[in-house]
């Protein structure tokens, strides 16, 4: 059964349940999903005055959560399908309809935090040396919340190892004024995905399990029919595009002019597969923060491999109900 809840963003504690008349939501591994909720304030089911709604709808300080449970008592196996930070709201006086829009936590907040607080700029340098991608993400997210209790967010680093050795290094100077989102995007440019998975603990407090996955990692599988008349995925398509297919990647790293770091793929000495098409379609990729030749070559390889073949997408809609 679907249910909808209000939470405080920082501690992740629950404020109450909602009975909206309309909900639309989307979620993504990139954390850019959004949701829109509507309620009728004249509906007695809500039992909240306009003043109470004003107190609840505090932008950024509130989150709205979509939960699925296996039973109508809302006790069995709660699964968070969506959790988003309140950004905008609109009240239509003529109909008594209150509508608000939320964005997933990563999309709402990581672009709004730098490597320093505005009062601690001299401490804004961040150096990561020879860490695994998971440990590097942990270091970035620790910087996102480290300065004081004002910076805290629901815990989410328990699945990420600390100090694990690996291929990732990056020196970020404070004067670059990079955001946490910039640093996460740089990591994802190396071929990994960073997913903020919302979960509920035993007391129904909202928490986040931050996962770092490779592009080919499979967490689970489910088989659904797409062909019969009552399918749960009635609009499955298969779309192919060769618009971004390449035969080679030329990667540009740190430096300028004759001192600019470069790499290319597919280098036959590194065992990469040959181009899949006969017509030459080479492309440039820029990664100006990379200063190490080995890391730049790794970047070029990872850019080449998925772009070597046409892009195949299978978009679909899902019908969800309480059955």
């Amino acid at each position: 059964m679907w249910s909808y809840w209000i939470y405080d963003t920082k501690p992740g504690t629950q404020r109450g349940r909602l009975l909206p008349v309309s909900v639309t939501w989307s979620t993504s591994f990139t954390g850019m999903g959004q949701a829109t909720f509507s309620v009728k304030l004249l509906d007695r089911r809500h039992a909240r005055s306009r003043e109470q709604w004003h107190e609840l709808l505090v932008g950024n300080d509130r989150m709205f959560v979509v939960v699925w449970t296996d039973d109508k008592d809302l006790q069995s196996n709660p699964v968070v399908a969506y959790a988003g930070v309140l950004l905008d709201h609109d009240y239509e006086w003529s109909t008594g309809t209150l509508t608000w829009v939320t964005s997933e936590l990563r999309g709402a907040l990581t672009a709004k935090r730098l490597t320093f607080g505005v009062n601690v700029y001299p401490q804004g340098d961040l150096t990561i040396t020879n860490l695994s991608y998971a440990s590097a993400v942990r270091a970035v997210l620790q910087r996102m919340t480290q300065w004081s209790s004002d910076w805290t967010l629901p815990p989410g680093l328990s699945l990420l190892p600390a100090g694990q050795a690996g291929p990732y290094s990056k020196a970020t100077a404070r004067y670059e004024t990079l955001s946490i989102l910039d640093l996460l995007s740089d990591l994802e440019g190396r071929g990994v995905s960073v997913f903020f998975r919302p979960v509920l603990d035993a007391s129904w407090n909202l928490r986040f399990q931050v996962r770092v996955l490779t592009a080919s990692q499979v967490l689970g599988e489910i088989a659904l029919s797409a062909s019969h008349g009552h399918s749960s995925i009635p609009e499955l398509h298969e779309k192919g595009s060769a618009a971004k297919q390449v035969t080679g990647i030329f990667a540009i790293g740190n430096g300028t002019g004759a001192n600019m770091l470069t790499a290319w793929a597919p280098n036959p000495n590194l065992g990469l597969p040959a181009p899949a098409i006969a017509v030459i379609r080479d492309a440039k990729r820029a990664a100006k923060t990379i200063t190490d030749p080995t890391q730049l070559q790794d970047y070029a390889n990872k850019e080449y491999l998925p772009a070597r073949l046409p892009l195949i997408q299978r978009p679909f809609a899902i019908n969800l109900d309480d059955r």
Side-chain angles (χ1 to χ4, degrees):
M1 180 175 181
W2 293 104
S3 58
Y4 310 96
W5 304 84
I6 310 171
Y7 279 78
D8 284 327
T9 301
K10 279 177 57 176
T13 51
Q14 188 185 111
R15 276 183 164 259
R17 186 180 177 186
L18 292 168
L19 295 172
V21 295
S22 173
V23 179
T24 59
W25 57 271
S26 66
T27 185
S28 73
F29 286 116
T30 60
M32 299 302 169
Q34 289 192 324
T36 301
F37 300 80
S38 293
V39 298
K40 292 282 190 180
L41 295 198
L42 303 181
D43 187 336
R44 293 181 180 179
R45 295 183 306 162
H46 299 298
R48 292 187 178 99
S49 66
R50 289 188 179 91
E51 291 73 21
Q52 289 172 319
W53 278 108
H54 273 295
E55 194 272 334
L56 283 175
L57 295 180
V58 180
N60 295 295
D61 280 353
R62 304 284 185 263
M63 295 191 73
F64 292 82
V65 179
V66 179
V67 178
W68 170 265
T69 51
D70 290 342
D71 63 336
K72 293 184 178 180
D73 294 330
L74 308 179
Q75 298 297 321
S76 179
N77 302 319
V79 176
V80 178
Y82 173 87
V85 178
L86 172 64
L87 296 181
D88 302 293
H89 73 273
D90 174 46
Y91 179 63
E92 186 176 352
W93 284 82
S94 62
T95 63
T97 302
L98 178 64
T99 301
W100 63 93
V101 178
T102 68
S103 178
E104 289 184 297
L105 185 139
R106 174 177 168 176
L109 295 182
T110 57
K112 303 301 181 183
R113 296 197 180 191
L114 305 174
T115 59
F116 53 88
V118 295
N119 61 330
V120 286
Y121 171 71
Q123 302 172 46
D125 294 347
L126 177 62
T127 300
I128 298 172
T129 305
N130 296 331
L131 291 182
S132 68
Y133 294 118
S135 288
V137 169
R138 183 186 181 101
V140 169
L141 295 181
Q142 282 179 326
R143 175 56 63 94
M144 179 180 176
T145 58
Q146 77 176 45
W147 301 111
S148 72
S149 60
D150 292 335
W151 290 68
T152 58
L153 290 171
L157 303 180
S158 60
L159 298 181
L160 300 179
Q164 184 180 68
Y168 186 79
S169 296
K170 181 178 176 62
T172 301
R174 58 188 179 275
Y175 55 77
E176 296 178 79
T177 61
L178 296 181
S179 69
I180 298 301
L181 179 59
D182 291 330
L183 300 184
L184 293 177
S185 298
D186 182 77
L187 277 153
E188 290 181 320
R190 314 296 177 91
V192 300
S193 297
V194 182
F195 178 42
F196 287 50
R197 180 192 178 197
V199 298
L200 297 177
D201 65 15
S203 300
W204 276 59
N205 295 310
L206 182 64
R207 299 292 181 255
F208 287 86
Q209 294 177 348
V210 181
R211 297 174 178 267
V212 179
L213 309 172
T214 62
S216 60
Q217 192 166 349
V218 178
L219 295 180
E221 297 181 4
I222 186 171
L224 295 173
S225 172
S227 57
H228 68 74
H230 299 288
S231 171
S232 296
I233 45 175
E235 300 177 19
L236 176 64
H237 296 259
E238 180 167 312
K239 298 182 178 182
S241 174
K244 296 183 179 181
Q245 189 176 9
V246 302
T247 53
I249 290 291
F250 185 74
I252 299 172
N254 190 258
T256 59
N259 296 320
M260 185 170 61
L261 192 64
T262 63
W264 60 278
N267 187 329
N269 296 325
L270 300 179
L272 295 183
I277 53 176
V279 176
I280 297 298
R281 286 176 58 92
D282 287 348
K284 177 188 72 174
R285 299 286 191 270
K288 302 299 287 184
T289 61
I290 297 180
T291 58
D292 179 73
T294 301
Q295 289 188 24
L296 187 64
Q297 183 62 62
D298 183 58
Y299 170 77
N301 296 345
K302 289 178 177 177
E303 287 290 308
Y304 167 74
L305 285 171
R308 171 181 170 268
L309 300 173
L311 176 64
I312 303 298
Q313 295 179 307
R314 296 178 178 88
F316 56 89
I318 299 179
N319 289 335
L320 299 173
D321 56 33
D322 287 346
R323 291 176 295 175

